[in-house]
Amino acid sequence: MAEGEVTTIVPTRYWHRLGDGRVQCDVCPRYCKLHEGQQGLCFVRARQNDRIVLTSYGRSSGYCIDPIEKKPLYHFLPGTPVLSFGTAGCNLACKFCQNWDMSKAREMDILADQAPPALIARAAQELACRSVAYTYNDPVVFLEYAIDVAKACRELGIKSVAVTAGYMTEQPREEFFRYMDAANVDLKAFSEQFYHKICGGHLQPVLDTLVYLKHHTDVWLEITTLLIPGENDSEAELEEMAQWVAANLGPDVPWHFSAFHPDWKMLDRPPTPLATLIKARDIAVKHGIRYAYTGNVHYGTGDSTYCPQCRNKVIGRDWYVMTDWHLTDAGHCRFCGNRIAGVFEGPPGSWGAKRRPVRLREYAAATS
Ligand code: SF4
Ligand SMILES: [Zn+2]
């Protein structure tokens, strides 16, 4: 096998045999029950030789260096570059998916790039990235690969970031997040009907993941809610959701309200008006959330971080570009000394808004 190539089909652990001859995948609450040769709903886990395998190990739809703010993570090593990649497949079927070319890919031919975990970690280090992000499609479906990459990263002092819908079961959840340092979890709505009708899933497992992350791990957590006109943006739902977040996760989990753009199977809805995002942010603030943001729009107030004690702007942002920085290296407000929640290690990075694609295979050849 040439350097940089990896086996793409690997055995998995979370499954069991059913009395009727089928094999059930236990990674997510879909619990796909498969006959020999069948794929799960996520397309990348399948039954082969009487067991469940992951068929996309080591393969990627591409690597890119992004600003960490784009994940979005606003309180985790601000200003630093993150080496981001995804594979294919997803365990939810959101009609509004903004990454459907990758997440809904049934064919592996979009997975053009191949990389063993150690190569990704080494590339991240040599490209001066502080972290690697498992993103674009949900890492829950390729958790064995994500975990191996995260282990290799940890050995080199590179952190791992999961961008996920959090739709998973208890044991895989515990194993997966043991290797993550930060997560942005989608809270897509606050109704079972939305999760069921629009995403083909359930709300409760997502709430379980959020509570688990906040109270049983050291993973730095931020939340994103994509607001879709007429689907999840009513005042009543936002009030209920904010109440739940404040009561169950506390005031210090940053919350990003982002704007919807018509995509995939949902082309009949208009983009989210700025007023809706501002309303959602105001409701979160009213319920005591200290760091509520608006995303995918130009609105400086909603992009920036304010000290909850003295109310001064401590991190100014214009989209992904940092415009002000008034924190100490350890994350204390320079105006009043209050500690801002988050992971701050030294001065902020200066990556800016750049997006730089990386071909790992060429990189391997060039650096070996
Ligand atoms: S991870 Fe994939 S195969 Fe497993 S239950 Fe979920 S959708 Fe089905
Ligand atoms: Zn302050």
Side-chain angles (χ1 to χ4, degrees), residues 307-312 314 333-338 340:
C307 172
Q309 190 164 278
C310 71
R311 304 280 166 201
N312 280 301
V314 286
C333 170
R334 283 204 186 275
F335 302 104
C336 74
N338 180 42
I340 303 299

Side-chain angles (χ1 to χ4, degrees), residues 39-115:
Q39 294 170 317
L41 174 118
C42 60
F43 308 126
V44 294
R45 304 179 90 84
R47 178 171 169 181
Q48 287 183 13
N49 301 323
D50 213 21
R51 58 196 181 142
I52 304 286
V53 295
L54 169 66
T55 61
S56 63
Y57 188 99
R59 299 188 70 180
S60 160
S61 48
Y63 297 82
C64 205
I65 306 178
D66 287 326
I68 191 74
E69 284 78 8
K70 195 166 194 285
K71 299 303 101 189
L73 288 174
Y74 277 12
H75 293 232
F76 183 78
L77 305 175
T80 60
V82 51
L83 181 62
S84 305
F85 76 96
T87 61
C90 190
N91 56 337
L92 286 172
C94 306
K95 291 181 179 158
F96 53 84
C97 185
Q98 314 265 298
N99 275 324
W100 58 269
D101 47 342
M102 280 177 255
S103 62
K104 291 288 154 269
R106 285 170 188 258
E107 301 301 332
M108 288 295 162
D109 56 3
I110 64 147
L111 299 182
D113 226 339
Q114 279 202 21

Side-chain angles (χ1 to χ4, degrees), residues 235-252 255 257 279-292:
E235 215 161 307
E237 185 166 343
L238 292 169
E239 288 277 351
E240 220 187 321
M241 182 155 43
Q243 216 163 11
W244 184 91
V245 169
N248 291 275
L249 307 179
D252 283 333
W255 193 355
F257 295 99
K279 175 183 74 179
R281 180 175 177 272
D282 287 348
I283 289 172
V285 169
K286 187 182 87 185
H287 283 275
I289 306 299
R290 292 179 177 146
Y291 310 106

Side-chain angles (χ1 to χ4, degrees), residues 14 25-34 39-46 52 90-92 140-141 167:
Y14 300 107
C25 174
D26 296 319
V27 167
C28 89
R30 289 251 167 213
Y31 296 120
C32 295
K33 297 166 185 63
L34 306 176
Q39 294 170 317
L41 174 118
C42 60
F43 308 126
V44 294
R45 304 179 90 84
I52 304 286
C90 190
N91 56 337
L92 286 172
V140 166
V141 304
Y167 194 58

Side-chain angles (χ1 to χ4, degrees), residues 52-239:
I52 304 286
V53 295
L54 169 66
T55 61
S56 63
Y57 188 99
R59 299 188 70 180
S60 160
S61 48
Y63 297 82
C64 205
I65 306 178
D66 287 326
I68 191 74
E69 284 78 8
K70 195 166 194 285
K71 299 303 101 189
L73 288 174
Y74 277 12
H75 293 232
F76 183 78
L77 305 175
T80 60
V82 51
L83 181 62
S84 305
F85 76 96
T87 61
C90 190
N91 56 337
L92 286 172
C94 306
K95 291 181 179 158
F96 53 84
C97 185
Q98 314 265 298
N99 275 324
W100 58 269
D101 47 342
M102 280 177 255
S103 62
K104 291 288 154 269
R106 285 170 188 258
E107 301 301 332
M108 288 295 162
D109 56 3
I110 64 147
L111 299 182
D113 226 339
Q114 279 202 21
L119 175 62
I120 298 175
R122 184 161 59 87
Q125 188 183 47
E126 290 177 23
L127 292 164
C129 294
R130 295 287 299 278
S131 56
V132 165
Y134 314 92
T135 179
Y136 307 138
N137 69 320
D138 203 307
V140 166
V141 304
F142 63 95
L143 72 95
E144 291 81 3
Y145 183 39
I147 287 171
D148 285 354
V149 176
K151 283 180 182 168
C153 285
R154 215 164 250 189
E155 279 178 23
L156 298 182
I158 307 286
K159 297 192 188 298
S160 281
V161 170
V163 180
T164 174
Y167 194 58
M168 60 205 305
T169 56
E170 201 177 325
Q171 283 184 318
R173 179 189 291 139
E174 285 180 19
E175 186 187 355
F176 178 68
F177 286 114
R178 206 175 301 145
Y179 299 99
M180 297 296 133
D181 299 288
N184 187 298
V185 177
D186 278 343
L187 178 55
K188 292 173 188 283
F190 205 65
S191 76
E192 174 61 15
Q193 198 208 352
F194 181 100
Y195 267 89
H196 185 66
K197 192 181 95 186
I198 314 261
C199 304
H202 301 286
L203 170 62
Q204 190 58 48
V206 179
L207 301 182
D208 293 346
T209 296
L210 290 169
V211 168
Y212 173 74
L213 281 169
K214 177 66 191 170
H215 298 291
H216 301 282
T217 73
D218 293 328
V219 177
W220 174 253
L221 171 65
E222 303 194 16
I223 308 173
T224 296
T225 302
L226 181 78
L227 291 172
I228 304 172
E231 296 290 351
N232 62 355
D233 64 342
S234 76
E235 215 161 307
E237 185 166 343
L238 292 169
E239 288 277 351

